[in-house]
Amino acid sequence: MHFALCAMPFALNSLFSLLMVRITSKLPQTGTSIFTVMSALAAQVGAINLSQGFPDYDCSPELIALVSKAMNDGHNQYAPMAGLMSLREQISIKTEKLYAAHYDPDTEITVTAGGTQAIFTAICAAIQPNDEVIVFEPAYDSYAPAIKVMGGVVKSLELSPPDYRIPWDMVRRLVTNRTRMIILNSPHNPTATVLQQQDIDELIAIVNDQDILILSDEVYEHLVFDGQEHKSMAKYEVLRQRSFIAASFGKLFHNTGWKMGYCMAPAALMQEFRKVHQFLVFSVNSPMQHAIAEYLKDESTYLSLPAFFQQKRDHFRAALAQTRFELLPCAGTYFQSVKYSKISDEKDTDIALRLTKDFGVASIPTSAFYNRGTDHQVLRFCFAKKQETLDRAIDKLLKI
Ligand SMILES: Cc1ncc(COP(=O)(O)O)c(C=O)c1O
């Protein structure tokens, strides 16, 4: 009896507090991402998954052996907060060699848990409530939520197929005295465009002498085709001074699941970046840092990437040209977009689901990359796949 009397109010109390606990969403519009949805559907119906951006082949056995060695050598405790110095030094050497820009490994480079953490951390460090951030859409899906969580305002500018060029006169009109940051992504996911010299000139003209930061998402820096060069922000002093550059080893070394990347920025920006980084993750996977530091010493590990992916692009495009899809240009990344207006007038989300279920090939509807869901009837396929996977997918797509 005594027990029951005590227990009753406790049970009621917990029930009451369960009902009372509230959380006000900072991202009320955010649901499960289209990447998760399409990959899950592809697995469920046994479709070939050309939706999410990851390879279906393994990364180099040599790199895996280097990780094993690092673990066996006892590198299993926390790495330094900013990353292993030997890895930061290799990143600095690589950047200097490629872009003739010096980043001090001590103060200007931080190793992150993938490009996504670099992006989130930079936004978190730099954006105050009501700051405006210019984002070009279609856009990688992590930018806008990060801005909103910080109380910033997303100023989107929509780009259109087939060439998705940035209308710089519109950018100029979008800039206000609240503009704090412009986010760029080249090579670009999902449109596969790359910034040209004219874009760089326009950008420099806009930000020069302005208090505007740049977040440059360069995770596909080595996936540039047809002999074009990657226009890194590191190469241009006016841009370099104000840029956080986000990079990803997962994209380069075919191991997206390792979630390894880095951020480079001038010391004053990096100092603020690290204040957030140290409380977000403190430090990043230690044995993999040892392994990548060693692996990067051989420059062919990244210099061979354009040819490797261009061969896949050319193979996939030549085969896709036999289907009823209309190919859009592909200058970089491992994505190929197509228009399907000759096949159907369905919404892109509907046809993407139908192709997965009825024809066995999963893609991403490009409307998912627009805040307003703008539908240009474009689907994105990922061609970072074995040739046999691409060939099997094409056999199916030919039936449409
Ligand atoms: C444009 C872009 N930025 C960043 C990332 C994230 O890179 P990571 O997997 O290294 O976090 C991706 C991954 O798909 C991407 O496409």
Side-chain angles (χ1 to χ4, degrees), residues 35 52-54 112-119 139-143 184-190 217-220 246-251 255-262 333-335 369 380:
F35 308 102
Q52 223 174 337
F54 60 83
T112 60
T116 310
Q117 190 231 309
I119 291 164
Y140 181 60
D141 63 349
S142 84
Y143 310 149
L184 289 154
N185 170 216
S186 177
H188 187 263
N189 174 15
D217 179 347
E218 302 186 15
V219 300
Y220 299 103
S248 167
F249 290 119
K251 298 292 181 186
N255 48 27
T256 57
W258 290 10
K259 294 300 295 184
M260 297 292 294
Y262 60 94
T333 73
Y334 45 47
F335 301 113
F369 296 85
R380 187 200 78 176

